Amino acid sequence: MNQNEPLGERVMRLVHDLSRHTDGPGLTRLYLSPAHRAAAEATLRLMEAAGLEARIDAVGNVVGRFGPADGPALLIGSHIDSVVDAGIFDGPLGVVCGIVAVEELRRAGDALPFAVEVAAFGDEENVRFPTNLSTSYALAGRYDPAWLDGRDADGVSLREALRAFGGDPDGIAGLARRPDDVVGYLEVHIEQGPVLEANGLAVGSVSGIVGITRARCRTTGEAGHAGTVPMGMRRDALAAAAEMVGVVERVGARREGTVATVGSARVQPGAINVIAAAVDFTLDLRAPEDPVRAAMVQDIEAECRAIAGRRGVGFSFEPFMDSPATPMDAGFVAAFEAAMGASGAPPIRLPSGAGHDAVAMATLGPAAMLFVRCRGGVSHNPAESITAEDADVAVRVLIGAVREIARRRG
Ligand SMILES: [Zn+2]
């Protein structure tokens, strides 16, 4: 490393270097793809150059350790897989910040009372296979073996893809860490929202990660001729669904910190001169606290049923995902905030509306996240952008938090 290169510039350079590994279009790096393999090998080399004892593990994570070979480790991580045509910072920023933080701790000669490990997870976006944070759950000891039978759009099973990648399906269970071996988990990630930018702040600590309910809904009416069935005699499934979408929007705004979205709807038969017979639509409902989410879900279901009753249409509501909210560890959040204070970054706490590897890692031990301002709040998009100045603040706050956790433990 160039000792005189500012940390933020170094972070930006390494993130850009990693972005070369893509299967296209743009940056596209799905779990266990050739681009993922290339990025994992590049990350391995980066870790080794930074003085970490590193390897690519059975499930495709790159994990490097700095410090004593035995005893507990503080993990710093994020992911190197991406969505299709992604931005370059979502994931790799956190991995690179971890590596640069270790380089700096090593250069400064810090004597820490624990090892530091950097983890580059491979399956955070859950784009290719029907999984949920599978690679971080492997470390947390909660890997669901049924995931190995999941198939991608080409019919390739995760098990086959993992073998082709050079992984070892039979070795996954052995990756599970014991809680005693883990001090906790820190993750730096772009905010993927506009709050930090609106407040003129480089970084913010995450208070918690929202819980998510997803459901499939269906209204069932009666098809009829658009010209001959009088308005008062219709059972229009689309008009009913439209009212329900309004309910979802209103109820989503009723409570602090909640969001509610109908992101997809399909109308049957879907013709210009036919009254709609049925509409299938999706719900994505998120809240920072589980009781608040439960109340929102209950309101939406009850108000939609009332609409269906008044209009004489059928209504079905099938929840298929219930991911609990994940609070961040109070002690680790305080460590981030102490580090922010020390580096002149005003403390701000914000909830995460998106899921992260920290959800899996929080099942193993204390976890906390640091968000970094991104331009326009844009992510999952090639326009994703941060500044070297903000990257510098982020890596310094991360180093400060590691030292703070060490001080409290030491
Ligand atoms: Zn991410």
Side-chain angles (χ1 to χ4, degrees), residues 7-9 11-12 93 97 188 196-197 200-203 370-375 385-397:
L7 299 184
E9 300 283 351
V11 167
M12 297 297 272
L93 175 67
C97 280
V188 175
L196 290 173
E197 188 176 67
L201 297 171
V203 298
L370 185 74
F371 274 171
V372 182
R373 165 169 57 188
C374 55
R375 195 175 62 202
S385 168
I386 71 165
T387 66
E389 291 73 27
D390 287 359
D392 200 79
V393 175
V395 76
R396 288 181 192 285
V397 169

Side-chain angles (χ1 to χ4, degrees), residues 78-79 81 90-91 124-125 187 189-190 192 355-357 380:
S78 196
H79 59 96
D81 65 314
D90 178 351
E124 197 273 343
E125 300 290 3
E187 180 167 356
H189 201 283
I190 57 165
Q192 303 181 273
H356 293 288
D357 289 301
H380 287 189

Side-chain angles (χ1 to χ4, degrees), residues 104-115:
E104 188 62 14
L105 288 163
R106 188 162 164 248
R107 193 192 57 76
D110 276 55
L112 300 171
F114 43 70

Side-chain angles (χ1 to χ4, degrees), residues 54-222:
R55 69 198 177 283
I56 299 176
D57 74 15
V59 80
N61 295 320
V62 193
V63 183
R65 185 173 175 111
F66 165 68
D70 297 313
L74 176 66
L75 282 95
I76 302 172
S78 196
H79 59 96
I80 56 170
D81 65 314
S82 81
V83 297
V84 173
D85 202 11
I88 69 172
F89 295 98
D90 178 351
L93 175 67
V95 174
V96 164
C97 280
I99 294 171
V100 171
V102 168
E103 281 175 348
E104 188 62 14
L105 288 163
R106 188 162 164 248
R107 193 192 57 76
D110 276 55
L112 300 171
F114 43 70
V116 177
E117 291 192 28
V118 180
F121 298 114
D123 188 27
E124 197 273 343
E125 300 290 3
N126 310 122
V127 173
R128 183 173 175 190
F129 298 102
T131 50
N132 178 27
L133 307 173
S134 69
T135 55
S136 40
Y137 272 122
L139 254 61
R142 290 168 185 245
Y143 193 91
D144 181 352
W147 285 330
L148 289 166
D149 299 317
R151 290 183 186 275
D152 69 7
D154 297 325
V156 178
S157 74
L158 200 163
R159 182 181 282 101
E160 291 158 357
L162 183 56
R163 287 214 177 95
F165 180 88
D168 173 18
D170 300 324
I172 294 172
L175 299 177
R177 301 295 178 96
R178 293 185 315 133
D180 286 353
D181 290 335
V182 172
V183 174
Y185 175 75
L186 300 176
E187 180 167 356
V188 175
H189 201 283
I190 57 165
E191 181 198 348
Q192 303 181 273
V195 175
L196 290 173
E197 188 176 67
N199 286 279
L201 297 171
V203 298
S205 68
V206 174
S207 52
I209 300 172
V210 295
I212 307 175
T213 296
R214 286 185 176 159
R216 282 182 272 270
C217 297
R218 174 169 243 239
T219 56
T220 323
E222 190 173 17

Side-chain angles (χ1 to χ4, degrees), residues 184-276:
Y185 175 75
L186 300 176
E187 180 167 356
V188 175
H189 201 283
I190 57 165
E191 181 198 348
Q192 303 181 273
V195 175
L196 290 173
E197 188 176 67
N199 286 279
L201 297 171
V203 298
S205 68
V206 174
S207 52
I209 300 172
V210 295
I212 307 175
T213 296
R214 286 185 176 159
R216 282 182 272 270
C217 297
R218 174 169 243 239
T219 56
T220 323
E222 190 173 17
H225 194 294
T228 59
V229 183
M231 296 306 290
M233 297 176 71
R234 297 183 177 199
R235 293 195 299 124
D236 184 330
L238 180 55
E243 257 195 78
M244 293 176 189
V245 173
V247 160
V248 171
E249 189 181 38
R250 272 197 306 284
V251 175
R254 189 173 286 167
R255 296 174 179 84
E256 180 82 22
T258 62
V259 287
T261 306
V262 177
S264 162
R266 211 177 67 235
V267 181
Q268 289 170 356
I272 192 169
N273 59 351
V274 182
I275 298 161

